[in-house]
Amino acid sequence: MKKDIHPNYRDVVFYDTSSEFKFMTKSTIETSETIEWTDGNSYPVYKIEVSSESHPFYTGKKMLLDTAGRVEKFNKRYAKK
């Protein structure tokens, strides 16, 4: 195998900002932020908006996930004049 062409495969904490849920898995995603995990070590953290903990399909709850005003942008763009 060639050296220095593969991404860094490491433990990364994914942080669901809508439900405050965190989980750790291995990933090659690059991030500059870190977080202290329950074992006392510091790991890179990647913030996500939706995970299985907050998605309506998995939770059984009906809720509108409106991030960055997408519904308003759509209504403004396609509203009847």
Side-chain angles (χ1 to χ4, degrees):
M1 275 198 326
K2 294 182 180 179
K3 293 184 179 183
D4 299 328
I5 63 167
H6 300 287
N8 186 14
Y9 188 65
R10 64 195 178 189
D11 288 326
V12 176
V13 175
F14 286 86
Y15 174 54
D16 183 355
T17 57
S18 62
S19 67
E20 304 291 320
F21 178 68
K22 299 175 190 130
F23 61 96
M24 185 167 54
T25 187
K26 293 203 175 272
S27 177
T28 60
I29 196 161
E30 292 296 325
T31 180
S32 60
E33 297 180 53
T34 60
I35 192 170
E36 189 171 323
W37 193 243
T38 56
D39 62 1
N41 294 328
S42 183
Y43 295 99
V45 63
Y46 186 75
K47 294 180 180 175
I48 55 177
E49 296 176 358
V50 178
S51 70
S52 61
E53 195 69 22
S54 64
H55 194 280
F57 179 80
Y58 297 107
T59 61
K61 299 177 185 174
K62 291 189 176 189
M63 61 182 191
L64 178 64
L65 296 175
D66 184 22
T67 57
R70 292 181 185 166
V71 173
E72 288 82 12
K73 287 180 187 177
F74 177 84
N75 288 337
K76 185 178 177 183
R77 184 180 297 160
Y78 295 107
K80 290 185 179 181
K81 295 180 180 179

